[in-house]
Amino acid sequence: MPSIIYGSDTSHTTSSSANLIRRASLPVAILKRAETWLSEERYVPAANRLDVALYRRLAEHPDRVALIEDGEKVTGKDLLIRVVNLCQKLRDSGVRPGDRVAVYLNRSSEFVVAILAVVFAGGSHVAIDVGDPPERTRGMLEDCDPRLVVTDRVLSGRLGAGPRLPVLLMEDCAPASDSIAWEPVADLEDEPAVVIYTSGSTGAPKASLISHRAVTSRLNALQRSHRLGPSDRMVHHTACSFDMFLIEVYWPLMFGATVIIAEHGRQREPEYLARLMRDEGVTVLYCVVSLLDLFLLAHDEDVRFDGLRAVLTGGEPLSPELVRRFQARSTASLTNLYGPSECTIYCTAWECPRDPAPDTVLIGDAIDDTVLWILDEDGRPVPDGAPGELYIGGAGLAIGYLNRPELTRERFVPDHLGGSGGRLYRSGDLVQREPSGDLRFLGRVDRQVKIRGYRIELGEIETTAIRHGGAQQAAATVTGSGADARLTAFVVLPGGAEAIDRLRTALRERLPGYMVPAMLRTVDALPLTQNGKIDRDLLAKWAAPETMTSAPADGSAAAGQGLEDTITEVWGRVLAAPGLGPDDDFFEAGGDSFKAVRAVKQLEAVLGIPVSMRELLRNPTVTGLAAELGRRLG
């Protein structure tokens, strides 16, 4: 097995490959004919290996900036040394090929180093969002049973780790040497490199196992359609619980571009992200549809985003109206990506035409190494133009679900039509093919929904409400779309306001913030259809917000009432939460960055003065924001 040595000693190396690397100023010596696979790919093909592909790119361009965090630049050489050192620490701690390693870190260069080191060690990383409730985190750790957890001293206190869950602290992993050997593991192409958890209908998240081949296939397809080069910079801001973060980290590093790391916790601030993109010269951006909408809403209409050359979006339906608004403010191309996590990042793409702007937004056709079938309920291809369920095959398919053999068999089915390599994934999405050959997304076959790109099984919310929140019955529904999407849960729950408070606490302790309903409504009984099933159409009507009249822009609404009353009224509308108290926290009451933008815009219209997102973020209570704004109103 080849060894690649980091250090200044190159006396053992005489190959042309080694001379090339020495000229690039990286102190690397290649032993045991490692130059063979490095230059000719005879030993470990880089095309299907994340570790080898990343090593090649960073080693060939050691002085190129790979990461920028808070203005600090990390070169390819420095990143590689840190990754290989941590890789060795992982192996010294018992990590072996095929092991899972949980990464529990804030978004940072250390997070990037950690996930790369796991892959270099031959393992698969399970990146866990530090914003998830501790109980959910512990449940995922118990389910994935990692060899160890990579975290830091502050975050480790949340884990409650015991003998079965050893922890490796990043503070103890500073590079001890720049001459540590790295030995790539053979035959990893079809082994897991990434584990991604998504919402599960049974009340517990489920994990997809994603192979090296699947990730590299997707990144190579993306590179062929949206080529990145040394002059490109891409911001990493997406939560690690969403598989699109793989695009933001791996794609730039594999093809010589620079990753700009957004400060942890500031993804709520559109002004910060826009300033970061401007100051760091970001050229390529991925963001979910709702975040794209948020960027445009948070900035005046005369603010343009022409520094971008390409924007990728997806995760939710993209409206023609949003496409037109974006194209009016940026010269960048806009591409709509579609694909479930089980198919690794995306499997179709459609670049939105600019002239004329589209009246209908499609999801495109199959990307490279991908097979698509549109089938009816009996598994037969539908006629051209007819709707049906989308089945997906090809190199991007996940290996299956971790510890869920029955669910794996249910969703990953044999390819009885041929051409996909043996399996097809039942997406549960309804589509139809347009005359152009592109697909139109029609909706879901089941009850799964998406909010701001996150896949949510409504059954997980309902199960949690019953199992842990004391509800006798529960039914969740979603209304609106894009930035206006919100969850409402109807519950049969005796006990009045105190019981609702206990239920809300239980949901917040066990579900990530995007899955906690903005509104909890008690009912004596859930409505039923004539067939005895829950009438979800009626619940959706009950949950729909009342039509709001536009607020006056001359401050007259605030003139007749106190500032706190005005803020309470606006927040109540935005959050669909009447009865807010003066000390209630906007975000704890169901607010997020998208609702915050709406609240700020409505307050500006009512009060007649500018209100910034930063003021709301720093003063998230009614009394706090009233005091802040009151100083300006006199």
Side-chain angles (χ1 to χ4, degrees), residues 213-472:
R213 186 185 302 276
V215 180
T216 53
S217 169
R218 291 302 189 242
L219 297 179
N220 284 321
L222 196 57
Q223 180 67 2
R224 284 189 283 271
S225 61
H226 294 74
R227 183 168 296 276
L228 285 182
S231 62
D232 282 308
R233 293 183 167 193
M234 187 170 192
V235 64
H236 167 39
H237 64 96
T238 299
C240 64
S241 53
F242 187 28
D243 66 345
M244 286 299 177
F245 93 90
L246 300 172
I247 284 181
E248 297 174 347
V249 174
Y250 283 117
W251 184 30
L253 293 180
M254 276 184 59
F255 295 100
T258 302
V259 179
I260 309 299
I261 300 176
E263 184 178 335
H264 179 76
R266 300 197 69 182
Q267 59 271 28
R268 281 178 172 177
E269 303 179 41
E271 295 174 358
Y272 162 76
L273 289 177
R275 185 171 64 252
L276 178 71
M277 290 189 294
R278 182 185 64 245
D279 293 348
E280 297 295 352
V282 171
T283 59
V284 180
L285 174 70
Y286 173 82
C287 60
V288 295
V289 170
S290 299
L291 184 56
L292 181 64
D293 195 11
L294 173 64
F295 270 118
L296 300 184
L297 288 172
H299 296 89
D300 294 335
E301 292 185 3
D302 60 350
V303 176
R304 296 188 59 82
F305 301 96
D306 289 331
L308 295 166
R309 70 169 182 84
V311 172
L312 311 174
T313 190
E316 303 163 281
L318 176 64
S319 70
E321 185 270 339
L322 181 53
V323 172
R324 287 190 286 270
R325 283 196 288 126
F326 172 80
Q327 292 180 339
R329 298 173 64 178
S330 178
T331 58
S333 64
L334 180 64
T335 302
N336 191 28
L337 306 181
Y338 159 84
S341 297
E342 289 86 348
C343 297
T344 311
I345 307 175
Y346 79 123
C347 61
T348 72
W350 190 71
E351 186 170 332
C352 302
R354 181 175 287 272
D355 187 21
D359 293 324
T360 300
V361 175
L362 305 177
I363 62 173
D365 200 359
I367 63 170
D368 295 347
D369 300 328
T370 300
V371 175
L372 303 179
W373 291 98
I374 305 174
L375 306 181
D376 62 19
E377 293 180 352
D378 297 320
R380 297 173 300 192
V382 301
D384 288 344
E389 183 177 355
L390 182 63
Y391 285 64
I392 306 164
L397 249 62
I399 298 168
Y401 296 115
L402 176 64
N403 300 328
R404 303 283 187 89
E406 292 184 1
L407 185 60
T408 298
R409 286 192 293 270
E410 176 186 338
R411 305 305 299 182
F412 294 87
V413 298
D415 179 8
H416 60 287
L417 299 167
S420 74
R423 295 185 307 151
L424 295 172
Y425 173 70
R426 296 188 58 184
S427 71
D429 287 335
L430 288 173
V431 300
Q432 67 182 46
R433 192 172 294 278
E434 298 292 298
S436 65
D438 295 306
L439 302 183
R440 180 198 296 266
F441 177 79
L442 301 176
R444 289 289 301 172
V445 174
D446 53 24
R447 295 181 53 233
Q448 187 184 97
V449 298
K450 275 196 173 183
I451 290 186
R452 294 182 290 284
Y454 291 103
R455 233 168 69 181
I456 296 174
E457 293 280 2
L458 296 177
E460 182 174 357
I461 299 171
E462 296 163 355
T463 300
T464 303
I466 295 170
R467 185 178 298 168
H468 301 288
Q472 296 176 356

Side-chain angles (χ1 to χ4, degrees), residues 69-194:
E69 179 183 17
D70 196 22
E72 181 178 349
K73 297 178 180 179
V74 180
T75 65
K77 168 186 172 181
D78 293 334
L79 177 58
L80 207 46
I81 289 172
R82 290 167 64 180
V83 168
V84 171
N85 270 269
L86 181 55
C87 168
Q88 188 59 51
K89 288 272 190 181
L90 293 171
R91 288 175 170 175
D92 291 345
S93 300
V95 173
R96 297 293 178 264
D99 284 346
R100 291 176 292 277
V101 177
V103 177
Y104 191 63
L105 292 165
N106 290 323
R107 184 188 307 108
S108 61
S109 61
E110 288 194 335
F111 172 82
V112 175
V113 168
I115 61 172
L116 266 59
V118 173
V119 171
F120 272 51
S124 53
H125 59 71
V126 190
I128 296 179
D129 192 340
V130 299
D132 281 351
E135 184 162 336
R136 182 182 178 88
T137 296
R138 288 191 289 269
M140 287 188 286
L141 289 174
E142 183 177 349
D143 179 63
C144 74
D145 191 23
R147 173 68 65 178
L148 55 80
V149 180
V150 179
T151 184
D152 60 34
R153 192 160 281 110
V154 173
L155 292 171
S156 64
R158 302 183 188 177
L159 298 176
R164 293 185 62 251
L165 192 61
V167 168
L168 182 62
L169 299 178
M170 289 298 289
E171 290 90 340
D172 300 332
C173 296
S177 170
D178 63 356
S179 58
I180 295 178
W182 176 56
E183 296 186 354
V185 178
D187 303 324
L188 279 185
E189 290 89 340
D190 296 305
E191 296 301 318
V194 179

